[in-house]
mmCIF file of all heavy atoms in Angstrom:
data_model
loop_
_atom_site.group_PDB
_atom_site.id
_atom_site.type_symbol
_atom_site.label_atom_id
_atom_site.label_comp_id
_atom_site.label_asym_id
_atom_site.label_seq_id
_atom_site.Cartn_x
_atom_site.Cartn_y
_atom_site.Cartn_z
ATOM 1 N N LYS X 1 -1.355 -3.397 -9.497
ATOM 2 C CA LYS X 1 -1.277 -3.206 -10.901
ATOM 3 C C LYS X 1 -2.400 -2.209 -11.257
ATOM 4 O O LYS X 1 -2.263 -1.276 -12.134
ATOM 5 C CB LYS X 1 -1.593 -4.500 -11.625
ATOM 6 C CG LYS X 1 -0.474 -5.414 -11.679
ATOM 7 C CD LYS X 1 -0.742 -6.656 -12.448
ATOM 8 C CE LYS X 1 0.309 -7.702 -12.253
ATOM 9 N NZ LYS X 1 -0.134 -9.070 -12.734
ATOM 10 N N ARG X 2 -3.504 -2.203 -10.574
ATOM 11 C CA ARG X 2 -4.665 -1.232 -10.914
ATOM 12 C C ARG X 2 -4.311 0.163 -10.433
ATOM 13 O O ARG X 2 -4.748 1.136 -11.043
ATOM 14 C CB ARG X 2 -5.918 -1.674 -10.071
ATOM 15 C CG ARG X 2 -6.894 -2.470 -10.861
ATOM 16 C CD ARG X 2 -8.242 -2.556 -10.253
ATOM 17 N NE ARG X 2 -8.179 -3.008 -8.803
ATOM 18 C CZ ARG X 2 -8.221 -4.355 -8.478
ATOM 19 N NH1 ARG X 2 -8.333 -5.301 -9.431
ATOM 20 N NH2 ARG X 2 -8.238 -4.698 -7.222
ATOM 21 N N ASN X 3 -3.312 0.354 -9.401
ATOM 22 C CA ASN X 3 -3.003 1.623 -8.952
ATOM 23 C C ASN X 3 -1.569 1.927 -9.404
ATOM 24 O O ASN X 3 -0.936 2.830 -8.804
ATOM 25 C CB ASN X 3 -3.091 1.584 -7.442
ATOM 26 C CG ASN X 3 -4.493 1.548 -6.949
ATOM 27 O OD1 ASN X 3 -5.241 2.516 -7.201
ATOM 28 N ND2 ASN X 3 -4.814 0.466 -6.305
ATOM 29 N N SER X 4 -1.106 1.379 -10.498
ATOM 30 C CA SER X 4 0.314 1.529 -10.923
ATOM 31 C C SER X 4 0.632 3.046 -11.254
ATOM 32 O O SER X 4 1.735 3.465 -11.260
ATOM 33 C CB SER X 4 0.620 0.642 -12.140
ATOM 34 O OG SER X 4 -0.196 1.053 -13.264
ATOM 35 N N GLN X 5 -0.396 3.828 -11.724
ATOM 36 C CA GLN X 5 -0.276 5.220 -12.075
ATOM 37 C C GLN X 5 0.113 6.112 -10.809
ATOM 38 O O GLN X 5 0.751 7.124 -11.124
ATOM 39 C CB GLN X 5 -1.534 5.734 -12.734
ATOM 40 C CG GLN X 5 -2.663 6.034 -11.803
ATOM 41 C CD GLN X 5 -3.443 4.769 -11.461
ATOM 42 O OE1 GLN X 5 -3.227 3.702 -11.823
ATOM 43 N NE2 GLN X 5 -4.560 4.961 -10.724
ATOM 44 N N VAL X 6 0.033 5.651 -9.587
ATOM 45 C CA VAL X 6 0.415 6.435 -8.541
ATOM 46 C C VAL X 6 1.759 5.966 -7.825
ATOM 47 O O VAL X 6 2.122 6.610 -6.848
ATOM 48 C CB VAL X 6 -0.784 6.488 -7.380
ATOM 49 C CG1 VAL X 6 -1.988 7.026 -7.944
ATOM 50 C CG2 VAL X 6 -0.984 5.182 -6.783
ATOM 51 N N ILE X 7 2.294 4.871 -8.350
ATOM 52 C CA ILE X 7 3.554 4.392 -7.726
ATOM 53 C C ILE X 7 4.620 5.428 -7.850
ATOM 54 O O ILE X 7 4.961 5.987 -8.952
ATOM 55 C CB ILE X 7 3.955 3.076 -8.365
ATOM 56 C CG1 ILE X 7 2.981 2.062 -8.191
ATOM 57 C CG2 ILE X 7 5.425 2.696 -7.893
ATOM 58 C CD1 ILE X 7 3.244 0.707 -8.804
ATOM 59 N N GLY X 8 5.095 5.937 -6.729
ATOM 60 C CA GLY X 8 6.257 6.855 -6.591
ATOM 61 C C GLY X 8 5.812 8.300 -6.673
ATOM 62 O O GLY X 8 6.717 9.193 -6.669
ATOM 63 N N THR X 9 4.491 8.589 -6.751
ATOM 64 C CA THR X 9 3.989 9.991 -6.797
ATOM 65 C C THR X 9 3.726 10.558 -5.469
ATOM 66 O O THR X 9 3.378 11.671 -5.418
ATOM 67 C CB THR X 9 2.731 10.023 -7.667
ATOM 68 O OG1 THR X 9 1.650 9.201 -6.938
ATOM 69 C CG2 THR X 9 2.906 9.382 -9.008
ATOM 70 N N LYS X 10 3.754 9.825 -4.390
ATOM 71 C CA LYS X 10 3.349 10.312 -3.066
ATOM 72 C C LYS X 10 1.892 10.701 -2.938
ATOM 73 O O LYS X 10 1.461 11.335 -2.152
ATOM 74 C CB LYS X 10 4.161 11.542 -2.617
ATOM 75 C CG LYS X 10 5.710 11.274 -2.421
ATOM 76 C CD LYS X 10 6.407 12.393 -1.856
ATOM 77 C CE LYS X 10 7.817 11.999 -1.671
ATOM 78 N NZ LYS X 10 8.600 13.109 -1.004
ATOM 79 N N LYS X 11 1.122 10.069 -3.853
ATOM 80 C CA LYS X 11 -0.424 10.083 -3.785
ATOM 81 C C LYS X 11 -0.905 8.979 -3.069
ATOM 82 O O LYS X 11 -0.483 7.814 -3.430
ATOM 83 C CB LYS X 11 -0.950 10.277 -5.123
ATOM 84 C CG LYS X 11 -2.432 10.348 -5.125
ATOM 85 C CD LYS X 11 -3.028 10.450 -6.568
ATOM 86 C CE LYS X 11 -4.587 10.572 -6.412
ATOM 87 N NZ LYS X 11 -5.202 10.504 -7.710
ATOM 88 N N ALA X 12 -1.714 9.119 -2.020
ATOM 89 C CA ALA X 12 -2.220 8.006 -1.259
ATOM 90 C C ALA X 12 -3.431 7.394 -2.027
ATOM 91 O O ALA X 12 -4.294 8.094 -2.615
ATOM 92 C CB ALA X 12 -2.628 8.518 0.152
ATOM 93 N N VAL X 13 -3.522 6.082 -1.950
ATOM 94 C CA VAL X 13 -4.609 5.311 -2.416
ATOM 95 C C VAL X 13 -5.184 4.332 -1.427
ATOM 96 O O VAL X 13 -4.382 3.981 -0.519
ATOM 97 C CB VAL X 13 -4.243 4.557 -3.778
ATOM 98 C CG1 VAL X 13 -3.982 5.447 -4.920
ATOM 99 C CG2 VAL X 13 -3.040 3.548 -3.498
ATOM 100 N N LYS X 14 -6.455 4.030 -1.525
ATOM 101 C CA LYS X 14 -6.991 3.058 -0.599
ATOM 102 C C LYS X 14 -6.776 1.579 -1.110
ATOM 103 O O LYS X 14 -7.069 1.310 -2.259
ATOM 104 C CB LYS X 14 -8.512 3.408 -0.511
ATOM 105 C CG LYS X 14 -9.247 2.497 0.560
ATOM 106 C CD LYS X 14 -10.674 2.720 0.610
ATOM 107 C CE LYS X 14 -11.371 1.622 1.362
ATOM 108 N NZ LYS X 14 -12.858 1.669 1.302
ATOM 109 N N MET X 15 -6.260 0.887 -0.187
ATOM 110 C CA MET X 15 -5.908 -0.587 -0.543
ATOM 111 C C MET X 15 -6.080 -1.419 0.725
ATOM 112 O O MET X 15 -6.116 -0.958 1.886
ATOM 113 C CB MET X 15 -4.423 -0.786 -0.947
ATOM 114 C CG MET X 15 -4.098 0.025 -2.296
ATOM 115 S SD MET X 15 -2.493 -0.362 -2.788
ATOM 116 C CE MET X 15 -2.659 -1.787 -3.587
ATOM 117 N N GLU X 16 -6.231 -2.691 0.427
ATOM 118 C CA GLU X 16 -6.185 -3.705 1.594
ATOM 119 C C GLU X 16 -4.859 -4.078 1.783
ATOM 120 O O GLU X 16 -4.112 -4.384 0.837
ATOM 121 C CB GLU X 16 -7.008 -4.999 1.204
ATOM 122 C CG GLU X 16 -8.524 -4.806 1.303
ATOM 123 C CD GLU X 16 -9.217 -6.105 1.004
ATOM 124 O OE1 GLU X 16 -9.196 -6.549 -0.062
ATOM 125 O OE2 GLU X 16 -9.636 -6.719 2.097
ATOM 126 N N ILE X 17 -4.410 -4.118 3.030
ATOM 127 C CA ILE X 17 -3.044 -4.581 3.484
ATOM 128 C C ILE X 17 -3.187 -5.555 4.508
ATOM 129 O O ILE X 17 -4.141 -5.607 5.261
ATOM 130 C CB ILE X 17 -2.170 -3.345 3.882
ATOM 131 C CG1 ILE X 17 -2.743 -2.716 5.099
ATOM 132 C CG2 ILE X 17 -1.869 -2.315 2.794
ATOM 133 C CD1 ILE X 17 -1.816 -1.737 5.819
ATOM 134 N N MET X 18 -2.203 -6.523 4.584
ATOM 135 C CA MET X 18 -2.177 -7.527 5.639
ATOM 136 C C MET X 18 -0.842 -7.300 6.370
ATOM 137 O O MET X 18 0.228 -7.373 5.775
ATOM 138 C CB MET X 18 -2.211 -8.933 5.164
ATOM 139 C CG MET X 18 -2.253 -9.931 6.331
ATOM 140 S SD MET X 18 -2.318 -11.678 5.907
ATOM 141 C CE MET X 18 -0.956 -11.889 4.927
ATOM 142 N N ASP X 19 -0.990 -6.934 7.696
ATOM 143 C CA ASP X 19 0.137 -6.928 8.609
ATOM 144 C C ASP X 19 0.659 -8.341 8.941
ATOM 145 O O ASP X 19 -0.138 -9.097 9.294
ATOM 146 C CB ASP X 19 -0.230 -6.141 9.841
ATOM 147 C CG ASP X 19 0.977 -5.949 10.746
ATOM 148 O OD1 ASP X 19 1.860 -6.784 10.896
ATOM 149 O OD2 ASP X 19 0.958 -4.824 11.371
ATOM 150 N N GLN X 20 1.872 -8.709 8.650
ATOM 151 C CA GLN X 20 2.405 -9.948 8.920
ATOM 152 C C GLN X 20 2.413 -10.326 10.335
ATOM 153 O O GLN X 20 2.247 -11.554 10.661
ATOM 154 C CB GLN X 20 3.906 -10.093 8.422
ATOM 155 C CG GLN X 20 4.087 -10.241 6.968
ATOM 156 C CD GLN X 20 3.500 -11.581 6.492
ATOM 157 O OE1 GLN X 20 2.276 -11.609 6.160
ATOM 158 N NE2 GLN X 20 4.305 -12.548 6.560
ATOM 159 N N LYS X 21 2.424 -9.386 11.170
ATOM 160 C CA LYS X 21 2.405 -9.656 12.689
ATOM 161 C C LYS X 21 0.894 -10.204 13.049
ATOM 162 O O LYS X 21 0.884 -11.246 13.761
ATOM 163 C CB LYS X 21 2.755 -8.517 13.442
ATOM 164 C CG LYS X 21 2.853 -8.850 14.997
ATOM 165 C CD LYS X 21 3.416 -7.553 15.706
ATOM 166 C CE LYS X 21 2.126 -6.770 16.138
ATOM 167 N NZ LYS X 21 2.529 -5.573 16.861
ATOM 168 N N ASP X 22 -0.021 -9.465 12.733
ATOM 169 C CA ASP X 22 -1.458 -9.762 13.145
ATOM 170 C C ASP X 22 -2.127 -10.737 12.105
ATOM 171 O O ASP X 22 -3.197 -11.315 12.414
ATOM 172 C CB ASP X 22 -2.283 -8.419 13.096
ATOM 173 C CG ASP X 22 -1.743 -7.551 14.200
ATOM 174 O OD1 ASP X 22 -1.056 -8.050 15.203
ATOM 175 O OD2 ASP X 22 -1.904 -6.258 14.049
ATOM 176 N N LYS X 23 -1.675 -10.886 10.898
ATOM 177 C CA LYS X 23 -2.265 -11.780 9.949
ATOM 178 C C LYS X 23 -3.766 -11.357 9.668
ATOM 179 O O LYS X 23 -4.587 -12.174 9.560
ATOM 180 C CB LYS X 23 -2.186 -13.215 10.280
ATOM 181 C CG LYS X 23 -0.836 -13.711 10.512
ATOM 182 C CD LYS X 23 -0.087 -13.900 9.227
ATOM 183 C CE LYS X 23 1.294 -14.579 9.480
ATOM 184 N NZ LYS X 23 2.279 -14.417 8.512
ATOM 185 N N VAL X 24 -4.073 -10.055 9.656
ATOM 186 C CA VAL X 24 -5.367 -9.465 9.504
ATOM 187 C C VAL X 24 -5.446 -8.557 8.394
ATOM 188 O O VAL X 24 -4.495 -7.617 8.354
ATOM 189 C CB VAL X 24 -5.935 -8.817 10.754
ATOM 190 C CG1 VAL X 24 -7.220 -8.103 10.646
ATOM 191 C CG2 VAL X 24 -5.903 -9.906 11.918
ATOM 192 N N TRP X 25 -6.319 -8.655 7.371
ATOM 193 C CA TRP X 25 -6.445 -7.605 6.278
ATOM 194 C C TRP X 25 -7.077 -6.449 6.804
ATOM 195 O O TRP X 25 -8.151 -6.553 7.643
ATOM 196 C CB TRP X 25 -7.195 -8.365 5.138
ATOM 197 C CG TRP X 25 -6.469 -9.279 4.424
ATOM 198 C CD1 TRP X 25 -6.556 -10.697 4.522
ATOM 199 C CD2 TRP X 25 -5.409 -8.976 3.403
ATOM 200 N NE1 TRP X 25 -5.529 -11.227 3.702
ATOM 201 C CE2 TRP X 25 -4.972 -10.279 2.999
ATOM 202 C CE3 TRP X 25 -5.009 -7.834 2.834
ATOM 203 C CZ2 TRP X 25 -3.986 -10.305 1.966
ATOM 204 C CZ3 TRP X 25 -3.945 -7.926 1.765
ATOM 205 C CH2 TRP X 25 -3.489 -9.132 1.423
ATOM 206 N N GLN X 26 -6.646 -5.270 6.443
ATOM 207 C CA GLN X 26 -7.341 -3.961 6.861
ATOM 208 C C GLN X 26 -7.308 -3.107 5.664
ATOM 209 O O GLN X 26 -6.346 -3.168 4.786
ATOM 210 C CB GLN X 26 -6.334 -3.284 7.918
ATOM 211 C CG GLN X 26 -6.202 -4.070 9.177
ATOM 212 C CD GLN X 26 -5.284 -3.448 10.082
ATOM 213 O OE1 GLN X 26 -4.169 -3.205 9.841
ATOM 214 N NE2 GLN X 26 -5.640 -3.104 11.352
ATOM 215 N N ASP X 27 -8.216 -2.155 5.618
ATOM 216 C CA ASP X 27 -8.250 -1.146 4.617
ATOM 217 C C ASP X 27 -7.253 0.017 5.140
ATOM 218 O O ASP X 27 -7.421 0.292 6.316
ATOM 219 C CB ASP X 27 -9.611 -0.579 4.316
ATOM 220 C CG ASP X 27 -10.507 -1.498 3.654
ATOM 221 O OD1 ASP X 27 -9.999 -2.208 2.691
ATOM 222 O OD2 ASP X 27 -11.734 -1.564 3.809
ATOM 223 N N ALA X 28 -6.545 0.582 4.203
ATOM 224 C CA ALA X 28 -5.677 1.608 4.642
ATOM 225 C C ALA X 28 -5.403 2.466 3.361
ATOM 226 O O ALA X 28 -5.595 2.227 2.269
ATOM 227 C CB ALA X 28 -4.351 1.072 5.011
ATOM 228 N N GLU X 29 -5.026 3.808 3.704
ATOM 229 C CA GLU X 29 -4.597 4.646 2.738
ATOM 230 C C GLU X 29 -3.054 4.561 2.719
ATOM 231 O O GLU X 29 -2.410 4.818 3.733
ATOM 232 C CB GLU X 29 -4.986 6.177 2.937
ATOM 233 C CG GLU X 29 -6.441 6.299 2.716
ATOM 234 C CD GLU X 29 -6.897 7.745 3.100
ATOM 235 O OE1 GLU X 29 -6.063 8.591 3.226
ATOM 236 O OE2 GLU X 29 -8.085 7.927 3.157
ATOM 237 N N VAL X 30 -2.469 4.244 1.497
ATOM 238 C CA VAL X 30 -1.008 4.015 1.482
ATOM 239 C C VAL X 30 -0.433 4.839 0.356
ATOM 240 O O VAL X 30 -1.130 5.030 -0.637
ATOM 241 C CB VAL X 30 -0.706 2.597 1.334
ATOM 242 C CG1 VAL X 30 -1.181 1.749 2.523
ATOM 243 C CG2 VAL X 30 -1.241 1.942 0.083
ATOM 244 N N MET X 31 0.883 5.126 0.393
ATOM 245 C CA MET X 31 1.580 5.541 -0.750
ATOM 246 C C MET X 31 2.506 4.461 -1.119
ATOM 247 O O MET X 31 3.203 3.843 -0.355
ATOM 248 C CB MET X 31 2.423 6.828 -0.423
ATOM 249 C CG MET X 31 1.639 8.024 -0.145
ATOM 250 S SD MET X 31 2.669 9.485 0.206
ATOM 251 C CE MET X 31 3.071 9.200 1.917
ATOM 252 N N ILE X 32 2.573 4.117 -2.347
ATOM 253 C CA ILE X 32 3.417 2.979 -2.897
ATOM 254 C C ILE X 32 4.605 3.520 -3.694
ATOM 255 O O ILE X 32 4.547 4.457 -4.406
ATOM 256 C CB ILE X 32 2.581 2.118 -3.904
ATOM 257 C CG1 ILE X 32 1.248 1.790 -3.340
ATOM 258 C CG2 ILE X 32 3.305 0.888 -4.284
ATOM 259 C CD1 ILE X 32 0.253 1.219 -4.331
ATOM 260 N N PHE X 33 5.692 2.855 -3.391
ATOM 261 C CA PHE X 33 7.039 3.202 -4.083
ATOM 262 C C PHE X 33 7.598 1.949 -4.673
ATOM 263 O O PHE X 33 7.576 0.839 -4.019
ATOM 264 C CB PHE X 33 7.942 3.863 -3.017
ATOM 265 C CG PHE X 33 7.306 5.051 -2.414
ATOM 266 C CD1 PHE X 33 6.718 5.011 -1.289
ATOM 267 C CD2 PHE X 33 7.553 6.383 -3.047
ATOM 268 C CE1 PHE X 33 6.073 6.198 -0.684
ATOM 269 C CE2 PHE X 33 6.927 7.560 -2.554
ATOM 270 C CZ PHE X 33 6.255 7.335 -1.310
ATOM 271 N N GLU X 34 8.380 2.029 -5.646
ATOM 272 C CA GLU X 34 9.163 0.956 -6.226
ATOM 273 C C GLU X 34 10.469 1.124 -5.801
ATOM 274 O O GLU X 34 11.189 2.123 -6.055
ATOM 275 C CB GLU X 34 9.045 0.954 -7.719
ATOM 276 C CG GLU X 34 9.570 -0.448 -8.367
ATOM 277 C CD GLU X 34 9.230 -0.462 -9.809
ATOM 278 O OE1 GLU X 34 8.453 0.410 -10.397
ATOM 279 O OE2 GLU X 34 9.636 -1.504 -10.442
ATOM 280 N N GLY X 35 11.013 0.132 -4.926
ATOM 281 C CA GLY X 35 12.467 0.225 -4.383
ATOM 282 C C GLY X 35 12.288 0.870 -3.072
ATOM 283 O O GLY X 35 11.299 1.402 -2.640
ATOM 284 N N GLU X 36 13.503 0.664 -2.403
ATOM 285 C CA GLU X 36 13.607 1.110 -0.970
ATOM 286 C C GLU X 36 13.516 2.639 -0.912
ATOM 287 O O GLU X 36 14.017 3.395 -1.746
ATOM 288 C CB GLU X 36 15.019 0.711 -0.480
ATOM 289 C CG GLU X 36 15.053 0.808 0.976
ATOM 290 C CD GLU X 36 16.381 0.013 1.569
ATOM 291 O OE1 GLU X 36 16.786 -0.810 0.842
ATOM 292 O OE2 GLU X 36 16.681 0.304 2.633
ATOM 293 N N THR X 37 12.628 3.003 0.060
ATOM 294 C CA THR X 37 12.292 4.431 0.262
ATOM 295 C C THR X 37 12.250 4.719 1.728
ATOM 296 O O THR X 37 11.942 3.907 2.671
ATOM 297 C CB THR X 37 10.838 4.654 -0.260
ATOM 298 O OG1 THR X 37 10.831 4.257 -1.631
ATOM 299 C CG2 THR X 37 10.513 6.138 -0.168
ATOM 300 N N LYS X 38 12.774 5.983 2.118
ATOM 301 C CA LYS X 38 12.946 6.403 3.522
ATOM 302 C C LYS X 38 11.456 6.374 4.144
ATOM 303 O O LYS X 38 10.570 6.856 3.523
ATOM 304 C CB LYS X 38 13.550 7.756 3.571
ATOM 305 C CG LYS X 38 13.715 8.269 4.925
ATOM 306 C CD LYS X 38 14.318 9.629 4.945
ATOM 307 C CE LYS X 38 14.443 10.091 6.483
ATOM 308 N NZ LYS X 38 14.800 11.510 6.561
#
């Protein structure tokens, strides 16, 4: 929600993500999209 202005813009933001396989939170730079994206 805080980063909603960059959704779909291909602009990377720093966020915490948790990989389901490792179950570990990590900081990452990610691009966020609404809906399925290649």
Side-chain angles (χ1 to χ4, degrees):
K1 287 178 189 172
R2 265 195 303 275
N3 290 294
S4 64
Q5 72 279 3
V6 300
I7 294 174
T9 65
K10 295 187 178 182
K11 180 179 178 189
V13 291
K14 182 182 169 189
M15 299 182 81
E16 283 187 287
I17 62 169
M18 181 177 65
D19 187 320
Q20 280 296 91
K21 186 177 87 177
D22 298 332
K23 304 284 189 204
V24 174
W25 287 97
Q26 300 172 300
D27 286 327
E29 289 181 10
V30 299
M31 292 185 281
I32 309 168
F33 302 93
E34 191 167 358
E36 198 166 338
T37 303
K38 184 181 178 190

